[in-house]
Amino acid sequence: MKKNSQKIIILTFIFSIIIWIIIIFIDYNIVFSGFKKPIFTIATETQDDGGSGIYKGLGYSFKINGNFMPDDEFPGITHVKFYLFGNKVKESLRD
Protein backbone atom coordinates (compact mmCIF):
# COMPACT_ATOMS: atom_id res chain seq x y z
CA MET A 1 0.00 0.00 0.00
CA LYS A 2 2.84 2.40 0.81
CA LYS A 3 4.48 1.89 -2.61
CA ASN A 4 1.17 2.64 -4.32
CA SER A 5 0.75 5.95 -2.53
CA GLN A 6 4.38 6.94 -3.28
CA LYS A 7 3.82 6.12 -6.93
CA ILE A 8 0.66 8.26 -7.02
CA ILE A 9 2.49 11.18 -5.41
CA ILE A 10 5.37 10.95 -7.89
CA LEU A 11 3.01 10.68 -10.87
CA THR A 12 0.98 13.66 -9.62
CA PHE A 13 4.16 15.73 -9.25
CA ILE A 14 5.36 14.79 -12.75
CA PHE A 15 1.92 15.52 -14.23
CA SER A 16 1.86 18.93 -12.50
CA ILE A 17 5.30 19.81 -13.90
CA ILE A 18 4.21 18.78 -17.41
CA ILE A 19 1.05 20.92 -17.17
CA TRP A 20 3.13 23.87 -15.90
CA ILE A 21 5.55 23.54 -18.86
CA ILE A 22 2.63 23.39 -21.31
CA ILE A 23 1.10 26.55 -19.81
CA ILE A 24 4.41 28.43 -20.12
CA PHE A 25 4.85 27.17 -23.69
CA ILE A 26 1.35 28.36 -24.68
CA ASP A 27 1.84 31.84 -23.18
CA TYR A 28 5.33 32.10 -24.69
CA ASN A 29 4.01 31.27 -28.17
CA ILE A 30 1.08 33.67 -27.88
CA VAL A 31 3.35 36.54 -26.87
CA PHE A 32 6.34 35.94 -29.16
CA SER A 33 4.55 34.54 -32.23
CA GLY A 34 1.19 36.28 -32.14
CA PHE A 35 2.27 39.50 -30.38
CA LYS A 36 -0.78 39.25 -28.11
CA LYS A 37 -1.17 39.35 -24.33
CA PRO A 38 -0.62 36.05 -22.44
CA ILE A 39 -3.71 34.20 -21.20
CA PHE A 40 -2.45 32.25 -18.14
CA THR A 41 -1.04 35.26 -16.28
CA ILE A 42 -2.24 38.06 -14.04
CA ALA A 43 -1.61 41.65 -15.11
CA THR A 44 0.24 43.70 -12.50
CA GLU A 45 1.67 47.20 -12.70
CA THR A 46 -0.36 47.98 -15.82
CA GLN A 47 -0.34 51.27 -17.70
CA ASP A 48 -3.34 53.21 -18.98
CA ASP A 49 -2.86 52.17 -22.61
CA GLY A 50 -4.91 48.99 -22.18
CA GLY A 51 -2.20 46.34 -22.15
CA SER A 52 1.34 47.43 -21.35
CA GLY A 53 2.67 46.23 -18.01
CA ILE A 54 3.97 43.21 -16.19
CA TYR A 55 2.15 39.89 -16.52
CA LYS A 56 2.98 37.29 -13.86
CA GLY A 57 2.43 33.56 -13.99
CA LEU A 58 3.65 30.71 -11.80
CA GLY A 59 7.43 31.16 -11.87
CA TYR A 60 7.48 33.23 -15.04
CA SER A 61 6.55 36.72 -16.18
CA PHE A 62 6.40 39.02 -19.19
CA LYS A 63 7.18 42.73 -19.28
CA ILE A 64 5.15 44.06 -22.20
CA ASN A 65 5.03 47.40 -24.01
CA GLY A 66 2.79 47.90 -26.98
CA ASN A 67 0.05 49.61 -28.92
CA PHE A 68 -3.24 48.69 -27.30
CA MET A 69 -5.37 51.76 -27.91
CA PRO A 70 -8.17 51.43 -30.50
CA ASP A 71 -6.70 54.14 -32.73
CA ASP A 72 -3.16 52.66 -32.89
CA GLU A 73 -1.99 51.86 -36.40
CA PHE A 74 -0.24 48.56 -35.52
CA PRO A 75 -2.02 47.12 -32.48
CA GLY A 76 -0.37 44.56 -30.24
CA ILE A 77 2.93 44.03 -28.51
CA THR A 78 5.92 46.04 -29.68
CA HIS A 79 8.50 45.12 -27.03
CA VAL A 80 8.52 42.14 -24.66
CA LYS A 81 10.86 40.64 -22.08
CA PHE A 82 10.37 37.08 -20.80
CA TYR A 83 11.54 36.14 -17.30
CA LEU A 84 11.77 32.64 -15.82
CA PHE A 85 12.23 32.55 -12.03
CA GLY A 86 13.24 36.22 -12.13
CA ASN A 87 15.99 35.76 -14.76
CA LYS A 88 15.57 37.38 -18.17
CA VAL A 89 15.44 34.63 -20.79
CA LYS A 90 14.41 36.44 -23.95
CA GLU A 91 13.73 39.94 -25.22
CA SER A 92 12.08 40.79 -28.52
CA LEU A 93 11.07 43.82 -30.55
CA ARG A 94 8.40 43.79 -33.24
CA ASP A 95 9.39 45.57 -36.42
Side-chain angles (χ1 to χ4, degrees), residues 64-76:
I64 294 174
N65 291 319
N67 302 322
F68 298 102
M69 298 303 284
D71 56 344
D72 287 332
E73 187 175 344
F74 299 107

Side-chain angles (χ1 to χ4, degrees), residues 5-92:
S5 63
Q6 287 177 343
K7 194 174 188 179
I8 290 171
I9 291 171
I10 290 171
L11 287 175
T12 303
F13 179 74
I14 291 171
F15 182 73
S16 299
I17 295 296
I18 290 170
I19 294 297
W20 178 72
I21 291 170
I22 290 170
I23 287 171
I24 292 174
F25 182 74
I26 290 170
D27 271 349
Y28 182 88
N29 279 334
I30 288 171
V31 171
F32 284 99
S33 297
F35 296 104
K36 297 179 184 173
K37 295 185 279 187
I39 57 174
F40 294 110
T41 57
I42 296 173
T44 60
E45 301 177 32
T46 57
Q47 297 176 3
D48 290 334
D49 67 356
S52 295
I54 298 174
Y55 291 80
K56 293 185 178 183
L58 234 100
Y60 69 101
S61 63
F62 297 94
K63 186 174 183 184
I64 294 174
N65 291 319
N67 302 322
F68 298 102
M69 298 303 284
D71 56 344
D72 287 332
E73 187 175 344
F74 299 107
I77 295 172
T78 56
H79 183 231
V80 63
K81 293 178 185 176
F82 174 63
Y83 296 88
L84 189 59
F85 298 115
N87 299 313
K88 185 168 70 170
V89 177
K90 186 174 181 181
E91 184 173 357
S92 180

